[in-house]
Amino acid sequence: MTHAPFPDTRLRRTRRTGWSRAMVREHRLTPANLIWPLFVCDGTDAEEPIASLPGVSRWSVDRLVQRAKEAVAAGIPCLALFPYTQAERRSDDGAEALNPGNLMCRATAAIKHACGDDIGILTDVALDPYTSHGQDGLVDDAGYVLNDETVEILVGQALNQARAGADIIAPSDMMDGRVGAIREALELEGFGHVQIMSYAAKYASAFYGPFRDAVGSRGLLKGDKTTYQMDPANVEEALREVEMDLAEGADSVMVKPGLPYLDVVRAVKQAFAVPVYAYQVSGEYAMIEAAAAAGAGERDALVLETLLAFRRAGASGVLSYHALHAARLLGA
């Protein structure tokens, strides 16, 4: 690239006015780029604030439907649902995941009944919200998470959610081969239209703590998840994970967490040119809220700048607990 020398070239010329900055803006953030994660709890007319996620609550199914209608009005295209399973319904084998009347299925059905195709429902496929030990799969006597045996349960969980009306199945467990097994089962059961958004590059991160509070697994977790979630040091391995999931039938892929892994988002987008999503996880959300509360930054500006960073890195969209607030700012 060649440019005339200064002063014939003045890069500030196009920055002088708002209309000019808008004309040359390289990346844009709109409500259509946002997915709003929501937590569902038991009960009626219930809201349960989550202390480690200020401004985020668990909602009973009836109140969750209200949140869905707010999302539609704000232009958000999709919700991601996560259940807070009662302790008495948790078990070593996570059998509640297969219950057609569980919280995830009831919430999915209620939102689809109320909103139809005005909004999409993305459902999490993993066993950690249902297991008594907090791991994403079945464990052996030594505490090792079993791959193939877990995949069998995940397939049943995915079909359970598809029957309830899920639009996108999102396996977040990081078991090998689960995308192909789920895709085959969906096709055989007549759910060929249901998308799979694979958590293809999910890292064993320190940023998940508030989420585990939200789904009730933090105090239950025995050990860690390093034997199946990715090492934060690795990028090439992420590309292998993405390649395998796409070959097995994933329609889109996800990188999780978000801001600390923008290089991974960029690498995936450049390598595969497929829809790539990033999850701005609970720890990231909590840090923005803490910074704003401490006066270290202006909340609205922090929210929009970080979300735009995902788009700049190549993300098609972002799962963010700030989604509704951001969508309203963008639509104002």
Side-chain angles (χ1 to χ4, degrees):
M1 296 177 65
T2 59
H3 299 282
F6 176 87
D8 293 333
T9 294
R10 291 180 180 267
L11 295 179
R12 288 185 57 191
R13 288 190 191 114
T14 57
R15 303 174 196 156
R16 188 175 181 204
T17 59
W19 63 261
S20 181
R21 291 191 296 274
M23 281 179 59
V24 300
R25 188 161 292 136
E26 298 173 27
H27 301 91
R28 283 175 167 76
L29 176 70
T30 75
N33 303 124
L34 302 172
I35 296 175
W36 189 17
L38 289 168
F39 299 101
V40 57
C41 64
D42 205 19
T44 302
D45 194 27
E47 177 185 359
E48 299 175 357
I50 302 162
S52 57
L53 281 172
V56 177
S57 296
R58 306 182 197 97
W59 304 95
S60 56
V61 171
D62 55 319
R63 298 286 296 275
L64 203 69
V65 169
Q66 297 173 29
R67 303 287 80 75
K69 292 178 178 178
E70 291 174 354
V72 171
I76 294 172
C78 188
L79 304 176
L81 303 184
F82 300 92
Y84 180 80
T85 304
Q86 308 95 312
E88 64 272 16
R89 291 186 176 273
R90 287 178 174 266
S91 59
D92 286 349
D93 61 1
E96 179 67 8
L98 304 179
N99 176 8
N102 67 26
L103 280 170
M104 182 75 88
C105 292
R106 283 158 43 206
T108 298
I111 293 171
K112 296 309 291 185
H113 177 75
C115 300
D117 286 335
D118 288 342
I119 198 161
I121 302 296
L122 180 153
T123 53
D124 177 66
V125 171
L127 297 186
D128 55 323
Y130 307 98
T131 56
S132 53
H133 45 70
Q135 294 287 0
D136 291 34
L138 306 178
V139 298
D140 64 15
D141 293 339
Y144 184 77
V145 175
L146 301 168
N147 193 91
D148 298 5
E149 295 85 345
T150 295
V151 169
E152 291 184 25
I153 306 295
L154 298 177
V155 169
Q157 183 184 13
L159 289 173
N160 195 31
Q161 295 171 356
R163 294 180 188 119
D167 299 294
I168 306 174
I169 299 297
S172 66
D173 55 284
M174 289 299 288
M175 299 299 116
D176 291 336
R178 89 277 204 212
V179 171
I182 291 171
R183 172 55 70 204
E184 181 180 12
L186 289 173
E187 292 289 338
L188 289 174
E189 292 286 331
F191 295 110
H193 60 284
V194 174
Q195 299 178 42
I196 296 177
M197 181 188 293
S198 168
Y199 286 63
K202 182 178 180 180
Y203 286 84
S205 171
F207 285 88
Y208 299 149
F211 175 89
R212 290 173 183 164
D213 291 335
V215 298
S217 66
R218 191 207 287 257
L220 300 175
L221 182 61
K222 297 181 175 72
D224 58 35
K225 302 189 178 186
T226 54
T227 66
Y228 51 100
Q229 293 179 358
M230 283 189 54
D231 185 335
N234 294 353
V235 178
E236 292 179 0
E237 184 184 12
L239 300 181
R240 293 176 64 197
E241 288 278 8
V242 169
E243 185 176 27
M244 288 179 64
D245 287 359
L246 291 172
E248 292 178 15
D251 301 286
S252 56
V253 295
M254 189 192 303
V255 175
K256 181 181 180 182
L259 286 178
Y261 296 86
L262 291 181
D263 61 319
V264 181
V265 173
R266 169 59 70 186
V268 170
K269 188 65 175 181
Q270 289 182 332
F272 299 103
V274 297
V276 180
Y277 291 80
Y279 199 140
Q280 187 181 40
V281 299
S282 58
E284 298 174 66
Y285 171 93
M287 288 196 303
I288 291 173
E289 291 298 310
E298 198 277 315
R299 182 172 182 256
D300 292 355
L302 290 170
V303 167
L304 293 180
E305 184 176 340
T306 53
L307 291 173
L308 183 60
F310 290 109
R311 295 283 290 145
R312 193 179 67 246
S316 303
V318 188
L319 288 80
S320 174
Y321 303 101
H322 283 123
L324 183 64
H325 179 63
R328 287 171 170 169
L329 291 174
L330 293 167

